Amino acid sequence: MPDEVPQGWRPDTLLDGFESLTLTLETESLPDEGDEPLCATLVRRVDPRLRTATRAVVHVHGWNDYFFHPHVADFWEDQGFAFHALDLRRYGRSLRPGQLRGYIADLDDYAEELDAALAVVRESHDSVLLTGHSTGGLTVSLYASQRPGALAGLVLNSPWLDMWGPPAVTSMLKPLLREWSKRAPTSVFPVPESEENVYARAMHASYGGEWDYSFDLKTEAAEPIRVGWFRAILQGHARVARGLDIDCPVLVTTSGKTLWLRRYSDEAREADIVLDVNRINAVAWRLGPLVTTARIEGGTHDLALSPPDARRRWFEAIATWVRAYAPPPLPLED
């Protein structure tokens, strides 16, 4: 039997000044993953004075990622929000031994932990804004489209709304993945890799970057892409292409440009080297009737990890949007 899952908020093991809550999920693990139950992890500040706002934000990370961004929490607290982050099942704080890192067969399955996290947050806050990065941006977009009236807004950081490469390639992949995922959904899909770990070299402090994060939880080398997961992503893209009709205001932010690099150069620290920002911006309008876009010159794939000047301009773009579309509620008259 697995160890008993801790109950209640505990000091976070990764970030000082934060605490975390394990959300045990009802979905069963895959047959080869062992006995530990699937879970997600909600993270917030320890200091209760930073949690008194009536508005809250919940952030969802991307692929091969987890929450390690206290400066993002600082920003949202300055805007008058209580900050929370969610490590999804099989990621970061929620990854257990034997589990397939990041695997999901249907992005809608994440509604279980999103619903659970928002239920916890709403116990103390009147309104909730969701943010998502990369794959997390796609996930929260699909979720928001199925929860009308539930969210105050949606802020997306380089959301993976569309595939890179020629559309004809994606069209050819879909029937292949459909049949392959029926037979062996967790098998590895072969994709070309860069000659160097370009992203890690651009970001991590050990290579001269600005950020220090765990290579155990956000691996230096690319993680295997599994067939069932890849099909789930393409299905999500297809839903975006058809239109989602998200009823809350949406902000889509990306870098100003994409660079495809097989070997490291310093340009990797000032561009999106993961996704095609032109394709993202081309489909952003399909998210709903009120979508704002902002392109941040010099920004990286995770705009929160951009060089200081680009990061400042990204934060300013979000702050401007918040004042326009997610302002604090007016005080009640006596």
Side-chain angles (χ1 to χ4, degrees), residues 187-199:
S187 60
V188 176
F189 185 87
V191 294
E193 297 183 4
S194 61
E195 296 178 17
E196 300 176 327
N197 300 325
V198 177
Y199 190 88

Side-chain angles (χ1 to χ4, degrees), residues 9 13 61 154 191 218 252 284:
W9 292 95
T13 58
H61 56 82
L154 198 63
V191 294
K218 182 179 175 68
V252 176

Side-chain angles (χ1 to χ4, degrees), residues 140-223:
V140 298
S141 296
L142 299 173
Y143 177 81
S145 71
Q146 297 178 321
R147 298 293 186 275
L151 299 171
L154 198 63
V155 175
L156 306 179
N157 169 2
S158 303
W160 194 7
L161 302 180
D162 197 8
M163 198 62 185
W164 60 82
V169 174
T170 302
S171 297
M172 290 188 295
L173 280 174
K174 288 180 179 178
L176 169 65
L177 290 172
R178 182 172 58 249
E179 296 305 315
W180 194 350
S181 64
K182 289 179 182 178
R183 300 192 307 270
T186 61
S187 60
V188 176
F189 185 87
V191 294
E193 297 183 4
S194 61
E195 296 178 17
E196 300 176 327
N197 300 325
V198 177
Y199 190 88
R201 291 196 61 183
M203 296 290 109
H204 201 272
S206 64
Y207 291 108
E210 188 176 353
W211 309 101
D212 187 12
Y213 52 83
S214 168
F215 279 145
D216 290 331
L217 302 182
K218 182 179 175 68
T219 59
E220 183 175 7
E223 280 296 304

